[in-house]
Amino acid sequence: LALNPWDVVLCISGTIISCENAVVVVVIFYTPTFRAPMFLLIGSLATADLLAGLGLILHFAFVYFIPSEAVSLLTVGLLVTSFTASVSSLLTITIDRYLSLYNALTYYSERTVTRTYIMLILTWGASICYGLLPVMGWNCLKEPSACSVVRPLTKNHLVILSVSFFTVFAVMLQLYVQICRIVCRHAHQIAVQRHLLASSHYVTTRKGIATLAVILGTFASCWLPFAVYGLLGDYSYPALYTYVTLLPATYNSMLNPVIYAFRNQEIQKVLWAVCCGCFSSTLPFRSRSPSDV
């Protein structure tokens, strides 16, 4: 096959995604203090994005060096699983942040840990099921007219994935609106109790809203083009449109470590310790609420 520049760009993106998220996974896995629900969910997100990056690299390698329909199904299945798990992990993090504010008094309990493991099981169980569908026979290799804009996924399969994304986005939007309301109410109560000026309340509220806007804006701008195109397009559309909409979706996995992991002060401490050569797995950390991240 002639080398497609778009495939090269996707492979480079996959390499960057893999390196970023591998750092997060290693830090969380080898730091015993990172066993709180918040870090488990961040670790799940980083693992999903790491697999997505590896899937992009493997897809490029197999397409150009070991072309095979069976291998193509496996790599596509891996990509579907990893990207689905990534989006689902973002939803679980949003739910965890909301509950940490809504049920602040009971958040640090065994019930939260149990709920976290249930969310992780459901996230990865559903993602693996989605990824196994093309491998188990729901593909368009024998019926090209049933193909979607992403071969060998069928049109119906991609429609289900797109509708699932819109559902996740709608739930996240609703939860973040509720989070914003709770934050604004708490900031106002603190300002009244401490007799602070209205300007300090305004600054705190504006900072919280700006953070939520960055999170939702990044997620929507990365995934909405591909989700909409997956609903409207079909196999007859030029492959260029698929690349143009799919590439921003991969950028979400590139930005997730920056938004959810590298901004976390505890993870920053470990990274600085590693860079200074003074890493210790028993570094003291102050447990923080997910809403602080």
Side-chain angles (χ1 to χ4, degrees):
L1 292 176
L3 190 62
N4 188 331
W6 287 100
D7 288 330
V8 176
V9 174
L10 286 175
C11 183
I12 294 174
S13 298
T15 303
I16 298 173
I17 291 169
S18 299
C19 293
E20 280 183 318
N21 288 281
V23 171
V24 179
V25 171
V26 169
V27 166
I28 292 178
F29 183 80
Y30 284 102
T31 308
T33 51
F34 290 169
R35 296 298 178 265
M38 172 181 64
F39 292 109
L40 293 178
L41 296 176
I42 293 176
S44 172
L45 175 63
T47 302
D49 289 333
L50 172 60
L51 292 176
L54 293 175
L56 291 171
I57 298 172
L58 292 175
H59 183 70
F60 176 85
F62 289 138
V63 165
Y64 289 99
F65 300 106
I66 316 175
S68 167
E69 288 187 349
V71 173
S72 174
L73 288 175
L74 290 176
T75 54
V76 170
L78 174 61
L79 288 172
V80 171
T81 297
S82 55
F83 280 126
T84 302
S86 177
V87 172
S88 301
S89 295
L90 292 177
L91 176 61
T92 61
I93 291 175
T94 306
I95 294 174
D96 186 61
R97 286 180 170 180
Y98 171 75
L99 293 176
S100 71
L101 291 171
Y102 185 76
N103 296 323
L105 296 178
T106 60
Y107 177 77
Y108 295 99
S109 64
E110 288 298 325
R111 181 181 300 178
T112 299
V113 177
T114 303
R115 181 177 59 241
T116 300
Y117 282 114
I118 292 175
M119 288 194 298
L120 290 175
I121 292 172
L122 292 177
T123 293
W124 284 97
S127 301
I128 292 173
C129 289
Y130 272 135
L132 285 177
L133 289 178
V135 179
M136 300 300 292
W138 197 16
N139 57 69
C140 62
L141 293 179
K142 297 181 179 180
E143 190 178 355
S145 61
C147 283
S148 65
V149 295
V150 180
R151 191 177 184 275
L153 297 183
T154 65
K155 174 67 175 179
N156 291 336
H157 190 181
L158 192 57
V159 166
I160 291 176
L161 293 175
S162 298
V163 171
S164 299
F165 163 79
F166 285 114
T167 303
V168 169
F169 180 72
V171 174
M172 287 180 62
L173 180 61
Q174 177 64 25
L175 288 175
Y176 273 122
V177 168
Q178 296 300 322
I179 289 174
C180 187
R181 290 177 178 174
I182 295 174
V183 169
C184 292
R185 185 169 63 249
H186 286 183
H188 176 69
Q189 292 173 350
I190 293 173
V192 171
Q193 292 174 358
R194 298 182 179 178
H195 304 287
L196 299 176
L197 297 176
S199 58
S200 63
H201 167 236
Y202 171 74
V203 170
T204 302
T205 303
R206 185 179 64 178
K207 182 180 178 181
I209 294 176
T211 301
L212 299 182
V214 169
I215 293 173
L216 277 178
T218 301
F219 180 60
S221 60
C222 289
W223 276 105
L224 273 178
F226 181 73
V228 172
Y229 183 57
L231 286 175
L232 303 179
D234 58 39
Y235 72 98
S236 63
Y237 283 50
L240 175 64
Y241 297 165
T242 301
Y243 285 113
V244 169
T245 55
L246 180 60
L247 188 60
T250 65
Y251 291 160
N252 188 66
S253 296
M254 197 181 298
L255 295 173
N256 282 339
V258 178
I259 296 175
Y260 294 94
F262 297 146
R263 289 176 60 251
N264 182 283
Q265 291 184 3
E266 281 77 11
I267 293 178
Q268 288 178 7
K269 290 178 183 178
V270 174
L271 291 176
W272 278 113
V274 172
C275 293
C276 295
C278 53
F279 176 79
S280 174
S281 61
T282 58
L283 286 173
F285 295 110
R286 177 176 64 89
S287 179
R288 302 201 306 164
S289 167
S291 58
D292 296 331
V293 181

